[in-house]
DNA sequence: AATGAATGAGTCTTCATTCAT
DNA sequence: CATGAATGAAGACTCATTCAT
């Protein structure tokens, strides 16, 4: 078998794997981990149900894959924002991104946050830890920006900002009101500007 | 059958109902709605499994009952706080109550918030709306305090405060760190003090 | 509810449990543990498939129950034989019982022996140990008889006798020839008679 | 394509086939037929899973191949023993070989015997017959030795000896005690010596 | 109302076997 | 022939809900 054929096959398999991860990320966000069946994800990914297990040994593996897909997306976003030279502008960009997802948040909440909430109810499997890692990723990036801004206690500020985001997403979702994202987003932007330009 | 016996029975039945509601509130908080079986709740309530259905026709009814139990507890709390004459002290009392539940929050998050997150993933049944109502109850009470304080946009402030609470609970839970509740709670108290004593 | 009704119900439930144990013993002997489905056993026991789990939490529990049913039958047999005053007659009775099951042995082998063989292929679950216990039960009883006979090394003789039984059952089964049971059974009887009447 | 290439390929294919047979013999002995997947065997044989079917059309074919591998090994052994001039020494050699495999027997039983037990539970496929053939092979060789020894009823003696072997293997396995093989093996050697030197 | 038991739909998971390249 | 991937039929197990008494 030529390398071309080989790599073509590998590429096709990888593509399917990626499709499953993406589908898992989407469906788990919308339906939650417990209400989502493997068949649901397979359908969205357009993969035969029985074949999912070729790529992911268990449902939990798929959930973990969805979490890492969310982590990947987060890193894509922060990677983009990192191109901005001013950390304040980066944080501004982050908040504006959140605001841009107002409708999704009002319908399904923050993907990572809601998954974390659900997975934290479990005693075993370690998926709760995995979800925590994604949130830590965001916290760490935000903290870095505050540090570059010369703020004291950048970790506390990160907690405040990310907490505010999780809180507003949850409220927007519970109240089914995207306006919450606008209102609280605007407040966060103002708060950011008000921070001492050290 | 005498009225006495009758009323005794009614009382016994009511007691059982209450036991089930309380058990549901506890267990659903700890395990989440999907991972909790009717048998789980029946066991904690010390009620035979087959008997649950005389009090609650469906599992969803039990979940709704748990939500209303949480609402009742919330009203118990605000009722207590309402005895304080200063609305600022009332809000302070609320925040301190949240901080007092730091360990529970770090382990299972906010009962209402996490239930709302989970129930919002559903399309039908209306339990999401029910969860929203409990959160609205809290929002309304907080808003009233801010109004009494003479704050402009008391609704926005309520959103901010309750949002902060949900956010810090979620982070404390996801990071499994009760310290988050202390830190953010202290920040909220300071923020509250800083608000213009209009 | 009256005690009568209560006990009636308990009796019915017990009866079903017993039916399942008996069915499991039979079907597992005939088909082996791996080739037997829960549905197979349920059908023979005339119990709805979904209901089996009310009585036995897992398939392994059912296998264990089958083993204990075989143990019960063994104890029933030895209990009968124990009424004989002469231990030599008891052993004779045992061998004759084996010979009486010639056709069953030729078709399916010794219930306990074949189950033990299959379960010993497993690494986990402890069912192999459970099967071993039943065999030890038989060994212990046989050893006791030889001891009462005043034989030196009654444990070695027990090993020889039970081993011979397992071996002849296996050969009868593999060769599909009940005659093996007759032939070897007769030899064992003669061997027994030849043992020094100490 | 040259013949040389051709024959090289054939040789490679043969080697793979042999590897699969050997792997099947080993793995089926350890795990049993039902608990062994084709993938298990392929892995041990270091053959890609999808490739197994070019050598064996079905799983049953592989099981049959494992049986014939065991037959081959048996013939290898008896071939060796046949070099001894004294049939009594040949039987002695056989028993000593059995004793030499004490640990394997205690862990997994006799390869042929345990496979026969498992396959005899089946109604169809004829693998039970195949397993029986391997045992008959052994019986026939043993019988021949007894006949050469001038023993009356060499077939009965063969049944006794092979039955004892199967029985002691089963007990060693069920009791997880290699000592059974020593003890019973020694007894068989003594028994062999005691046979009338006709 | 009370209660142990019954029911059956649904979900995850495993594998022998087949297919496309 | 080689090989990774595909397929689909089981089978174990769970649980909300209902039933018989």
């Amino acid at each position: 078998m030529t390398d071309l054929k080989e790599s073509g096959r590998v590429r096709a398999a990888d593509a399917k794997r990626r499709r499953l991860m993406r589908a898992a990320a989407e469906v788990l966000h919308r339906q939650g981990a417990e209400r989502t069946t493997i068949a649901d994800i397979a359908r969205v990914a357009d993969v035969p149900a029985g074949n999912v297990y070729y790529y992911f040994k268990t449902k939990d593996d798929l959930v973990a894959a969805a979490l890492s897909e969310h982590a990947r997306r987060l890193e894509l976003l922060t990677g983009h924002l990192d191109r901005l030279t001013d950390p304040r502008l980066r944080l501004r960009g982050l908040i504006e991104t959140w605001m841009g997802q107002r409708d999704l948040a009002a319908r399904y909440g923050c993907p990572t946050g809601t998954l974390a909430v659900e997975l934290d109810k479990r005693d075993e499997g370690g998926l709760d830890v995995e979800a925590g890692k994604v949130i830590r990723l965001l916290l760490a990036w935000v903290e870095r920006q505050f540090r570059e801004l010369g703020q004291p206690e950048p970790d506390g500020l990160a907690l405040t900002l990310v907490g505010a985001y999780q809180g507003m997403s949850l409220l927007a979702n519970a109240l089914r009101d995207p306006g919450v994202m606008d209102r609280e987003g605007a407040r966060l932007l103002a708060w950011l500007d008000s921070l001492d330009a050290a």
Side-chain angles (χ1 to χ4, degrees), chain A residues 116-176:
Chain A
V117 163
E118 200 180 356
L119 298 174
D120 275 326
K121 303 292 185 195
R122 301 190 181 181
D123 297 326
E124 14 177 88
L127 282 177
D128 51 345
V129 177
E130 228 50 43
K133 281 184 191 167
V134 187
I135 290 183
R136 275 177 220 276
L137 218 56
L138 175 58
L139 279 169
W141 185 85
V142 170
E143 180 181 339
R144 212 174 312 134
Q145 310 314 311
F146 280 124
R147 179 168 298 118
E148 286 194 25
L149 270 179
Q151 292 292 326
E153 306 198 49
D155 54 341
L157 291 172
L159 223 50
T160 299
L161 182 57
V162 175
Y165 165 54
Q166 291 298 340
M168 73 200 229
S169 297
L170 192 151
L171 289 185
N173 187 210
L175 304 178
R176 283 283 196 282

Side-chain angles (χ1 to χ4, degrees), chain A residues 18 29 32 112 144 174 177 194:
Chain A
R18 294 293 317 279
H29 179 205
T112 310
R144 212 174 312 134
D177 176 9
S194 77

